[in-house]
Amino acid sequence: MVQTEVSKLNQRELRKLILSIKASTGQLSLLLAICDDRNLQAELIDAYETALQQRGITPYQTRLDWKQPSLRATLTHLIDSQPALQDEAPAVITVLGATDLIGVRLTEEKSEQERFFFSLQWTRESLRAFHFPIVIWLSDTVATRLVQQAPDFWSWRSGVFEFEREAKGQVLKAEAAVGKGSALRGSLSYGDNEDSRPLSVDEIQQQIDELEKQDSQSSLLVTLYSDLGKAHERQYNHEAALGTYEQALYLAEIHKDRAMQAVLLQNLGNVLDDCGRYLQAINFYEQSLAIWVEISDRHGEARALNSLGNACCLLSQYERAIALHEQSLVITRELGDRKGEAKSLNSLGIAYSLLSQYERTISLHEQSLAIARDLGDRHGEAHALNNLGIAYFSLSQYERAIALHEQSLAIVRDLGNRHGEAHALNNLGNAYYSLSQYEQALSFYKQSLAIEREISDRNGEADSLYNMARALIRLNRRFEAKQRFEQALIIYEDLKLAHKIEQCKDAIATCNQIIPT
C-alpha cells in the first residue's frame, strides 16, 4: 500500500490507542477510532496490530454486515468462528464497515446507518459478555451521526481517537510499529464523462438554491438534482450521490417524468454497484429497464440491459449476463448506436472471458476497440485495451498483456479515470506475477490498492489485497500474506461473493499450514 508519514497528532493518538488497548486487555473496552482516509486507516491498523502482537496480544478483524449492521451480532459471529477467542486469551478486535453503511433510506424504512445506530443504542448490557478491547473505525460523518442517534452508546465509550488526513507520498514511521489470481479486474465501471469542465457541487447547488427561490415547483429542479448527484459521484461521495438521486427521483415522480425516473433509477443502481451492493443495484436496474420498455425508449432499454448484465456478471450469473448483453447488442445495432454497440461488445467479452472462452472474448474486444478508435472514444479505447490484456493474460501471453495494459494505463491517467487506473495497475501486477517478478507485481498491487481505497471500490480493494498476499507468499513474507488474505475475506463476505470467499478461505488454510506456530 502507499504509505504516509504519520503526523505528530496522529502519532500521539496512535500511542494513546495502543496504551488503551493494553490497559484494557481481558475486559470490555469500546474504543472509537475516527479517520476519513482509508489508506491511513489501514496503515494505523497494521501499526497497532504489529505492536500488540509483539506483546502477546492477538489481533482479530471483522466487518459489519450491511444487511444486519449489529455490533453484537458481528462480535458473536467472530467469536463463534474463532475458538481461541472463546478461551479469552489476550486479544483485540477491530471492527470495520461502519463507514460503508449507507445513510440514505432508499427502499427501506430505515437506512443501514439508522439500523446500526438503533442496535448500538440498546446494546450496552449485551456487550458485557465480550471481554476484549474493541476498536470501532468510523468516518467523521458517521461519528457525528452516532453522537446524535446513539447518545447512550456514545456516553459508554472508553475512548475516542481522531486521526487527521495525511499528505500523500511519504513514509510511515509509527513509533508503535517497531520491527515491523485470483480476480482479474475488468473495467465494468469505466466512466465516460466527456464534459470538458463539468460544474462543481457548489456551482450546481447555487443554481438549485436560486431556482428554488424563484420557482420551487420547477421541473428543471429534477435535472439540476440529477446533475448534483453526478457531481457527487465524480468526487466518489457515494452517500451524497444516493441522497441527491433520491431527491431527484421524488421530484421526477411528482412531475410524472417517466424518462427521468428511469435515468435516476439507473443512476442509483450505478452508485450501489460502485459500493459493491450488486443485488440492490440489480433491483434499481430492473425498475429502470421496466420503465424504458414501457415508454418504448430503445436507447434507454439497451443501456439498462447492459448495466443489469454487468451486475449479474459480478454476482457470477454469467449465463444471464450474456443473454442481457446480447439483447443490448441487438438493440444498439438496430439503432446504429456505435458507442453503445462497443460497450455491449466489451461487456459480452468480459462475460465470455469468465467462462474461459478466450478466443471469442478477443474477437469481441477487438471489435469494440476498432469502434472506439473510429469514434475517437478514448474511454472506450482504454476499456477495450484493458480487457484485451486480460484475455491475452488468460492465454499466458504475458508480454502482450503487459503492452496492452500499459497502453490502457497511459490513457486512463491522461483522462483522470481513477477506476480505470486501479484496474490497469492491478492487471499489470497480475502479468508481472505470472512472469515471477514478484516485487514488481507487489508494487503495482500496492498502487492499485491505494486508489481503490481512495475511491471506495471495495471489490477492487479485496482483489488487490488478495493479489498482494499471493505475491507476499512468493517473497516468503507469509505472515503478512495471511493478514492480507484475511482482510480480503472480510470484504468478500460482506459483498457475498461466494466463489471468492471459498478461494480466499482455501488460501488462508494453506497459510495456516505453512506458517510456524
Side-chain angles (χ1 to χ4, degrees), residues 62-78 80 95-98 100-102 108 110-120 123 126 277 280 458 493-496:
T62 187
R63 180 177 288 271
L64 295 163
D65 183 345
W66 60 269
K67 290 185 177 180
Q68 185 187 10
S70 162
L71 179 60
R72 182 188 60 78
T74 300
L75 294 172
T76 299
H77 176 74
L78 175 67
D80 288 345
V95 179
L96 304 171
D100 298 314
L101 297 175
I102 295 170
E108 305 292 333
K110 290 184 178 180
S111 71
E112 295 164 11
Q113 283 185 19
E114 287 172 329
R115 296 202 302 274
F116 175 54
F117 298 145
F118 181 81
S119 72
L120 289 181
T123 203
S126 64
R277 308 295 173 82
Q280 287 174 293
R458 297 188 62 226
E493 288 179 333
D494 192 36
L495 298 180
K496 305 293 188 291

Side-chain angles (χ1 to χ4, degrees), residues 285-345:
Y285 289 146
E286 288 176 338
Q287 292 181 61
S288 176
L289 176 61
I291 295 175
W292 290 127
V293 172
E294 172 197 324
I295 64 177
S296 301
D297 186 318
R298 301 281 278 164
H299 285 282
E301 182 181 353
R303 288 194 300 270
L305 285 165
N306 195 58
S307 296
L308 187 55
N310 288 340
C312 289
C313 209
L314 288 165
L315 287 171
S316 305
Q317 299 174 11
Y318 304 129
E319 297 297 341
R320 185 185 181 195
I322 287 171
L324 291 162
H325 291 314
E326 285 178 339
Q327 292 177 59
S328 178
L329 182 61
V330 168
I331 295 171
T332 55
R333 283 176 168 166
E334 286 177 356
L335 295 171
D337 176 6
R338 299 201 70 213
K339 192 169 183 179
E341 179 185 357
K343 286 184 179 180
S344 296
L345 287 164

Side-chain angles (χ1 to χ4, degrees), residues 37 89 146 186 206 277 312 318 365 371 492:
D37 185 329
L146 189 152
Q206 183 178 359
R277 308 295 173 82
C312 289
Y318 304 129
H365 289 322
I371 294 172
Y492 286 144

Side-chain angles (χ1 to χ4, degrees), residues 387-408:
N387 292 332
L388 272 171
I390 293 173
Y392 281 109
F393 172 92
S394 300
L395 293 170
S396 301
Q397 298 185 33
Y398 305 126
E399 297 290 352
R400 190 166 187 179
I402 287 171
L404 289 162
H405 288 313
E406 285 176 341
Q407 292 176 61
S408 177

Side-chain angles (χ1 to χ4, degrees), residues 125-150:
E125 295 304 319
S126 64
L127 289 181
R128 292 189 186 278
F130 303 114
H131 302 151
F132 311 100
I134 301 166
V135 184
I136 306 171
W137 284 88
L138 310 166
S139 67
D140 185 65
T141 300
V142 173
T144 301
R145 292 177 181 172
L146 189 152
V147 175
Q148 298 166 345
Q149 299 187 42

Side-chain angles (χ1 to χ4, degrees), residues 411-444:
I411 294 172
V412 293
R413 279 180 168 166
D414 188 44
L415 295 171
N417 183 339
R418 298 291 274 166
H419 271 292
E421 183 178 356
H423 293 165
L425 287 165
N426 196 60
N427 289 332
L428 278 167
N430 289 333
Y432 279 104
Y433 177 94
S434 295
L435 290 170
S436 302
Q437 298 183 33
Y438 303 120
E439 288 286 2
Q440 181 78 321
L442 188 60
S443 173
F444 282 118

Side-chain angles (χ1 to χ4, degrees), residues 203-220:
E203 289 170 329
I204 299 171
Q205 187 63 60
Q206 183 178 359
Q207 291 184 10
I208 289 173
D209 293 342
E210 291 174 354
L211 181 57
E212 285 183 333
K213 289 177 184 177
Q214 299 169 15
D215 181 6
S216 61
Q217 303 301 313
S218 173
S219 61
L220 181 57

